[in-house]
Structures are given as C-alpha cells and as structure tokens.
Amino acid sequence: VVNEKVHPDRRTRRLLRAKFHRLQTVKPSEKSDLHKLHGWAAYVNAYDPNLGAKYLAQIREQIAISNDAAKEI
C-alpha cells in the first residue's frame, strides 16, 4: 500500500504550508486573501484535522485582528 489515506500531492501541501507561514510573517493586504486562506484551511482540515485545526486557528486570529483594525479606522 502506497498511501494509507487520501491527501493532496506534495506540491500542494508545500504551497499551503508556505501560504500559512507567510500569513504569520507578512500580514495579508486584503481581507479577501484571508477568506481564501480560510477556505484552504477548511480543505486541509478535511484530510488532516490536526493541521487543519492549527491553520483554522491562525486564520481566525488574523480575521479578528483585521476586524479590530477596520473598527479603528
């Protein structure tokens, strides 16, 4: 058996890991970027609940920060 469970290819997993790393180091310029990443986090959660939960927590934190910043303006 090659794969015990279904998951995206290595390239996609690395791309997603890079996107979420970038979220922590460089804040997204638009709120729509956060919503796209939220969708990716939900996708990751479907095949890897532990990693998906980590990504979803990061997204929720950034959305909260973004909402707070918008209220200050």
Side-chain angles (χ1 to χ4, degrees):
V1 175
V2 175
N3 297 324
E4 292 184 16
K5 61 182 181 177
V6 177
H7 56 80
D9 62 353
R10 180 177 296 172
R11 181 174 181 226
T12 302
R13 292 191 319 264
R14 287 182 177 177
L15 175 70
L16 292 174
R17 186 171 58 233
K19 285 179 183 284
F20 284 95
H21 174 74
R22 186 164 171 80
L23 176 67
Q24 293 301 310
T25 58
V26 178
K27 304 306 178 210
S29 60
E30 295 184 18
K31 197 167 187 174
S32 64
D33 294 338
L34 287 174
H35 291 292
K36 289 176 187 176
L37 284 174
H38 189 269
W40 280 114
Y43 172 68
V44 171
N45 194 49
Y47 71 83
D48 187 344
N50 293 328
L51 184 59
K54 176 183 168 186
Y55 287 167
L56 286 168
Q58 288 178 5
I59 287 295
R60 289 182 184 123
E61 178 183 334
Q62 291 300 319
I63 288 175
I65 291 169
S66 175
N67 288 340
D68 289 344
K71 288 178 185 177
E72 291 177 2
I73 294 177

